[in-house]
Amino acid sequence: MSHENNQPIWTYDDLVRFSRWEDPEVRYWAADRLIRLHPEACCDVVAEFLLDDHPATPTMVARHLGEYGNRTHCPVLIKGFKLLRGPVPGHCIHSLVRLGHPGVLELAGSALERGDLDDMVLGLIVEALGGLGTPEAEGL
């Protein structure tokens, strides 16, 4: 939606401000808008929402960082892998592979030791490692 003069209703700065809102639904909406409207520019802003308490925000952010982020986002993705549950750890590994994180094999190898990751997440991790195409990745 936009104004008559074809300007967006919400500016980038407005969306950043809303992403800091107390309500998790507002943060999710703002992060979603930032990702859709400013995919390359918003990575540093949305990276901090990888650990958000909204049920959909962490997955959205993990996937986005793998597509548009860079290696400076690897520490938050590692933290997300280690701390979060559900599908997010698998998406974090996917993103770390895409970003070329050098310690991704060791991190992915620790997934089996965790014992709290379901088959879907382990499948995401295996799929991500398959993309590496290295003998080390195939040996995990």
Side-chain angles (χ1 to χ4, degrees):
M1 208 176 224
S2 58
H3 292 294
E4 288 178 32
N5 63 1
N6 214 17
Q7 294 297 316
I9 292 175
W10 306 108
T11 67
Y12 179 83
D13 291 336
D14 290 334
L15 294 171
V16 169
R17 188 169 34 89
F18 281 118
S19 74
R20 308 236 183 309
W21 215 259
E22 187 174 324
D23 184 333
E25 288 297 328
V26 174
R27 289 193 308 269
Y28 171 78
W29 171 84
D32 180 65
R33 296 291 93 203
L34 283 164
I35 286 170
R36 290 175 188 260
L37 300 173
H38 309 279
E40 294 168 6
C42 76
C43 289
D44 290 342
V45 173
V46 299
E48 65 188 74
F49 297 103
L50 182 65
L51 302 175
D52 195 82
D53 58 359
H54 186 277
T57 303
T59 297
M60 176 178 66
V61 170
R63 294 177 72 175
H64 182 73
L65 292 177
E67 194 168 341
Y68 291 98
N70 58 54
R71 284 199 179 179
T72 64
H73 301 113
C74 289
V76 74
L77 289 164
I78 292 167
K79 193 172 186 179
F81 171 78
K82 291 180 177 179
L83 297 177
L84 299 175
R85 303 293 175 258
V88 180
H91 292 295
C92 288
I93 292 292
H94 245 273
S95 293
L96 288 164
V97 166
R98 290 185 81 176
L99 296 176
H101 177 62
V104 73
L105 289 177
E106 293 79 14
L107 198 60
S110 73
L112 294 175
E113 298 166 12
R114 283 179 58 160
D116 66 338
L117 301 176
D118 65 24
D119 290 345
M120 184 195 78
V121 175
L122 294 174
L124 281 170
I125 292 170
V126 168
E127 178 186 308
L129 296 178
L132 288 175
T134 64
E136 297 83 9
E138 291 171 10
L140 281 180

